[in-house]
């Protein structure tokens, strides 16, 4: 019975002791404690990580690369957890893998603004005390999510933007990279083809990850290059807490993707967690929030969500969203509506 | 019975017609329509506007100026509504008045960043279709809230930051003002006195306004100079939708003030409206959200809120928050806990 939260596992142990008592099997006080502790350890929830590589319409010839990318990211994040890393370490690692993969619209591979430049947004959040760090419109760094984490851990602030984010990156000795090193052929083609910002129906959102550990600690991270041909200094949902991501140990963690402007209008990540707080499962919460977004402002999006008991969902109203999850030593992944592949993580040929 | 929403007023007319029917008083079809329409018009809600001038600890010698400022802002916003302006016009006008008043930490009077410069944040939101505009870390303009409105109305984006916000301001022919023109003696004194960012217990938050019209349309606007000695490029809660403000015709509108970093962690504005959606009054919703913030992350704040039926509340857990409201031709205002003054708007000696 893997996947049980530690509290549930201990409760089951307690129920077993009570059951023994009603059947006349009397356990000594020490034995009772031992049984409860054993249940707690044996049945404790295994960590779960889920990643998303952007929602939108993915061209058939690019699907394989997207799936490979999210699988690699989920496995890297999962490995971090197995090695004793925290949920924050895991989501950061998963997002770094996708920032470094030029197929995704984040880090290297980011889409270009109206001037043909890369400006990136990122957020990271630790659900324990709601600690958060974010950067917006940052340039010339390879991994905005790492800078977001430094904002969270090394400053008294939550969000640094543009020149301030660059100044902070220098102070933290983050290597400055030439803007061109983040620009791909594909990004240039997209930029030349379009005259104005492209919404999520054609383009691709963000990358992101959510994770929960065996103690019920949750975290999220999201990173994005934004919209092709966006105005200089445009900030999307990604670094905006409650829109691009939110994590709270009392409920769960969410990372969203799609058209940033409409995701912001419904504070999508926080909305999903409000539904979880009201007793919905991750899938029900995600579907309810995405349906509300469609009904209220006629906009599609995608998201990944995990609750503090280890249940997760990857839900999207767009045509596609590449996603992958590692749970109970199984890798789950998909890209189209209804698509779900499962295999043992030891079988993945990466 | 002023203060009833139009829907409630029409319902009352409908109930009256039904009552006549049960008593044997038969009205013609035309008379029935007339009665319902008359109830709708006579009992319709009057517009309400509420403003806040920042939460924190206000020195006794500055209290009078704060109260004068918020009263002026509320009356200016109210006048806009009386003249047929929209709720968006009204909240913009009220915030502009406070941005221009050097007593407040917004526009002229903003606190200074670590380099002794003014960088400002602002947001405006129209509750009808959740349209929003915001700017962060913007410099050299007198009224960030006006620029936020232009972002909402003239771009496909929600948030522009730093250099991008400046570029957009130029394109919109917003006059550039010297940074020094926004800096007050008080701001310089505060900057010199402090070595690191100051939290809301000592300093003052933001300015903001919320309004509802007779149709139940709501809007909010918030504007801030941020924290004294903040890092370059620090963005607070103000331009972050759901944190510094949120407006939704289905529930109401909120503008928050206090320590931006902690307000963001609980997405305070959206949290208040979630409680309203679940049936709480504005006061109950505000108190519940502020108590949660205090319990969960041990942080105080303040906020103003109005629901779509015209009920409002100005609630704060800090020592002070200057606020004023115009409702039913009465001006209400206060600054300390439990302080409430009421007078006719025609009696205000401004």
């Amino acid at each position: 019975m893997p996947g049980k939260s530690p509290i549930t596992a201990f409760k089951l142990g307690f129920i077993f002791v009570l059951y023994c008592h009603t059947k006349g099997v009397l356990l000594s006080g020490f034995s009772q404690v031992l049984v409860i502790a054993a249940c707690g350890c044996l049945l404790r929830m295994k960590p779960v990580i889920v990643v998303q590589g952007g929602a939108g319409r993915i061209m058939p010839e690019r699907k394989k690369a997207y799936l490979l990318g999210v699988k690699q990211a989920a496995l890297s994040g999962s490995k971090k957890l197995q090695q004793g890393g925290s949920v924050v370490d895991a989501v950061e690692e998963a997002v770094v893998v996708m920032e470094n993969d030029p197929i995704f619209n984040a880090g290297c591979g980011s889409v270009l603004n109206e001037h043909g430049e890369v400006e990136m947004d990122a957020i990271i959040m630790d659900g324990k005390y709601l600690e958060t760090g974010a950067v917006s419109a940052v340039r010339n760094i390879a991994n905005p999510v790492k800078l977001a984490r430094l904002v969270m851990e090394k400053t008294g602030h939550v969000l640094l933007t543009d020149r301030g984010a660059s100044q902070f990156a220098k102070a933290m000795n983050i290597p400055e990279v030439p803007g061109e090193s983040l620009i791909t052929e594909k990004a240039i083609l997209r930029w030349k083809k379009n005259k104005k910002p492209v919404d999520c129906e054609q383009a691709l959102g963000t990358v992101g990850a959510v994770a929960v550990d065996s103690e019920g600690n949750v975290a999220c991270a999201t990173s994005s290059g934004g919209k092709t041909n966006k105005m200089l200094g445009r900030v999307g949902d990604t670094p905006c807490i409650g829109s691009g991501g939110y994590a709270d140990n009392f409920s769960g963690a969410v990372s969203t993707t799609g058209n940033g402007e409409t995701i912001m209008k419904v504070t999508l990540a926080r909305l999903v967690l409000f539904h979880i707080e009201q007793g919905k499962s991750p899938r029900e919460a995600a579907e309810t929030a995405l349906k509300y977004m469609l009904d209220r402002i006629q906009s599609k999006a995608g998201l990944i969500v995990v609750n503090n008991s280890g249940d997760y969902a990857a839900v999207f109203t767009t045509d596609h969203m590449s996603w992958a999850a590692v749970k109970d030593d199984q890798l789950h992944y998909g890209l189209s509506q209804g698509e779900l592949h499962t295999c043992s993580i030891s079988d993945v040929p990466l």
Side-chain angles (χ1 to χ4, degrees), chain A residues 188-204:
Chain A
I188 295 170
L189 281 174
R190 275 198 184 116
W191 176 65
K192 285 185 175 164
K193 195 177 152 195
N194 298 292
K195 298 283 177 204
K196 57 178 187 172
V198 179
D199 76 16
C200 79
E201 291 304 293
Q202 294 87 45
L204 287 162

Side-chain angles (χ1 to χ4, degrees), chain A residues 69-148:
Chain A
V70 288
K71 286 194 278 181
Q72 277 177 321
L75 289 169
S76 296
S78 174
K79 198 172 168 188
K80 205 60 145 181
L81 285 167
Q82 283 166 7
Q83 289 166 345
S86 68
V87 278
V88 175
D89 294 334
V91 293
E92 182 191 24
E93 172 67 18
V95 168
V96 162
V97 167
M98 290 184 282
E99 283 176 341
N100 293 342
D101 185 337
I103 194 81
F104 297 112
N105 175 19
C108 176
S110 288
V111 297
L112 309 182
N113 71 10
E114 60 183 347
H115 299 312
E117 304 153 335
V118 166
E119 291 182 300
M120 300 165 290
D121 300 336
I123 194 169
I124 195 161
M125 187 164 183
D126 182 343
K128 196 164 194 176
Y129 301 113
L130 311 180
E131 296 292 335
T132 318
V135 289
S136 62
V138 69
R139 296 161 179 241
N140 301 103
I141 59 166
N143 297 112
V145 75
K146 285 189 181 179
L147 190 59

Side-chain angles (χ1 to χ4, degrees), chain A residues 244-263:
Chain A
Y246 200 81
D248 184 349
N249 278 11
F250 288 4
S251 49
V254 179
S255 169
T256 67
T257 171
N259 182 351
E261 276 71 11
T262 52
I263 287 173

